Amino acid sequence: MYQMGEAEIEAVARVIRSGRLFRYQDGPNGEPAESVQFERELAQKLGSSHALAVTSGTAALICALVGLEVGPGDEVIVPGYTFMATALAPLAVGAVPVLAEVDAGLMLDPADVEKKITPRTKAIIPVHMNGNVANLDALIRVARSRGVKVLEDCCQCVGGSYRGLRVSRHGDAGVFSFNYYKNITAGEGGAVMTGDSRIHQRARMYHDGGSIFRADAKDFTVAAFAGVNYRTDEVRSAIMRVQLQRLDEILSGLRRRCSALRERIGSAVEFSPVHDLDGVCGSYLFLRVGSRVEAQAFVKATAERRINAYLPYDTGRHVYWNWDPLMERRGAHHPKLDPLQSTTQTYLKDMLPRTTEHLERTLFVTIGLDWNEADIERVASGLIECSKAAVGQAELVS
Ligand SMILES: Cc1ncc(COP(=O)(O)O)c(C=O)c1O
């Protein structure tokens, strides 16, 4: 959580005083609900035609897949490095996740996507991990040439952009998470963004089993189908409206500090490749080293210097070989609902060797929004020292 304060407290108090905590309740004089206003403001800020606020990023992924008409018999390509929810969401709509390699910047690799597309592939999910952006031009080119949909997972990149256009606007739909660890947050939350009214209607229908009775469904052209309940609530939306106003300041603060750090380090340490340096959120600096041994020595040295760095290789549920439900082929709570029971798709611990190598050789440095010049100087010189120490250690071991 980057920033939260009196304005959010006021917003929560306003909702509680109003007594209207349910999103489908307008004010006494017809004032739109907080959730309606949040959706409008989010869509306007990012330049989208439609926003649907939901309870989490996972719910947003599932609703977006429903929106895209993904279902049983379909395959969805996901990267081997992402939070596990990206890979499990296709299962929730009856589809089979297909794992693909990431590139040296830890983003979905277009060349491997191309190899993994089959006649059953319905969608790909590029993930903008840790505030960095995926290689969208190449990914969208591959997807379009094969008639495959693109769903951007922007959960870790709220507000980021690619070639001047906010993430979530490049593919057919995009999703955000507003959980506690994201750029803006209400503790939990999420959103589905799309420029396509059919995708939006289907996602909205699914997110609320009772949607057909709601006023906002009166113009739906999509026939009613059964849904669930991923509805947001007014307290959360009131918080998110304030957080949205803070987004630009949070991003510019992170970007300024991240690029000052890069500049100060210069060529003394290798950076991981980035697909659009101007668009990244600046929440993390990705560094690339020669080997797993060097990465481990590097991160140990940073801890000794009070620099906040970590290894993506060791981030548990973000790494494909730790996705137990896939590795152990339990894709649902009931075998008859499990898409993995009727696919030849295999999931093996060593199935993505390039992903493994890139994870072994990458290190993330967390950027502090409160850093001053002296902090940046301390972290930069510390990283240069750590790098030299790590190279020395790695040479000793080999
Ligand atoms: C890349 C990615 N996708 C999806 C999600 C799921 O979001 P949530 O935790 O809000 O369900 C996350 C959350 O951590 C994420 O990082």
Side-chain angles (χ1 to χ4, degrees), residues 55-59 61 82-83 85-86 127-129 153-156 175-179 182 188-190 318:
T55 46
S56 68
T58 304
L61 279 164
T82 174
F83 181 57
T86 319
V127 186
H128 306 296
M129 284 298 279
D153 181 335
C154 321
C155 288
Q156 299 195 7
V175 295
F176 294 120
S177 165
F178 305 126
N179 82 23
K182 302 305 189 258
E188 296 280 3
H318 294 88

Side-chain angles (χ1 to χ4, degrees), residues 81-361:
Y81 173 64
T82 174
F83 181 57
M84 186 166 71
T86 319
L88 300 190
L91 294 167
V93 299
V96 170
V98 173
L99 309 192
E101 300 272 18
V102 296
D103 59 24
L106 301 191
M107 306 292 143
L108 186 59
D109 178 358
D112 200 43
V113 165
E114 184 139 39
K115 282 193 212 140
K116 295 204 163 137
I117 290 181
T118 72
R120 291 178 296 283
T121 310
K122 188 72 176 265
I124 65 169
I125 311 185
V127 186
H128 306 296
M129 284 298 279
N130 292 81
N132 270 2
V133 288
N135 186 358
L136 285 176
D137 277 351
L139 288 163
I140 290 175
R141 202 176 317 118
V142 171
R144 296 281 180 257
S145 72
R146 307 287 293 273
V148 167
K149 305 277 186 205
V150 177
L151 167 57
E152 289 176 74
D153 181 335
C154 321
C155 288
Q156 299 195 7
C157 195
V158 181
S161 59
Y162 177 81
R163 308 236 184 277
L165 197 67
R166 300 273 196 176
V167 295
S168 81
R169 291 194 50 198
H170 297 264
D172 299 279
V175 295
F176 294 120
S177 165
F178 305 126
N179 82 23
Y180 181 73
Y181 299 98
K182 302 305 189 258
N183 291 348
I184 52 175
T185 182
E188 296 280 3
V192 182
M193 315 298 296
T194 180
D196 182 313
S197 125
R198 182 177 168 81
I199 294 172
H200 174 73
Q201 283 182 28
R202 286 180 57 88
R204 194 171 276 276
M205 179 92 67
Y206 188 70
H207 105 292
D208 174 25
S211 59
I212 201 63
F213 303 106
R214 314 280 181 220
D216 62 3
K218 70 179 183 319
D219 299 326
F220 275 16
T221 51
V222 169
F225 55 80
V228 291
N229 177 2
Y230 292 143
R231 287 191 307 267
T232 192
D233 62 83
E234 291 292 272
V235 170
R236 193 190 319 234
S237 296
I239 297 173
M240 286 312 304
R241 291 182 69 202
V242 182
Q243 287 278 297
L244 192 59
Q245 286 172 18
R246 297 187 191 271
L247 180 63
D248 288 339
E249 198 189 314
I250 292 171
L251 289 180
S252 67
L254 288 170
R255 283 172 173 155
R256 210 172 42 247
R257 289 167 176 88
C258 189
S259 59
L261 182 63
R262 282 180 80 103
E263 220 165 88
R264 174 64 190 76
I265 292 172
S267 56
V269 182
E270 188 182 336
F271 303 119
S272 301
V274 174
H275 296 295
D276 182 352
L277 203 47
D278 295 330
V280 302
C281 299
S283 17
Y284 298 90
L285 181 64
F286 289 33
L287 302 178
R288 189 162 167 87
V289 298
S291 65
R292 169 107 171 114
V293 174
E294 192 182 322
Q296 285 170 321
F298 199 135
V299 88
K300 189 160 174 276
T302 58
E304 286 155 10
R305 287 170 177 78
R306 289 182 302 105
I307 295 171
N308 204 350
Y310 65 94
L311 303 174
Y313 187 98
D314 294 333
T315 52
R317 295 298 175 255
H318 294 88
V319 177
Y320 75 92
W321 58 79
N322 293 321
W323 298 341
D324 295 349
L326 274 190
M327 294 296 142
E328 294 168 14
R329 299 189 82 81
R330 278 191 302 276
H333 62 280
H334 191 290
K336 287 193 179 156
L337 283 172
D338 184 355
L340 301 181
Q341 302 283 320
S342 52
T343 176
T344 52
Q345 201 61 229
T346 50
Y347 304 96
L348 301 167
K349 302 253 168 200
D350 54 359
M351 67 188 285
L352 301 176
R354 288 203 305 283
T355 298
T356 306
E357 193 214 322
H358 295 318
L359 287 167
E360 282 174 348
R361 295 181 54 192

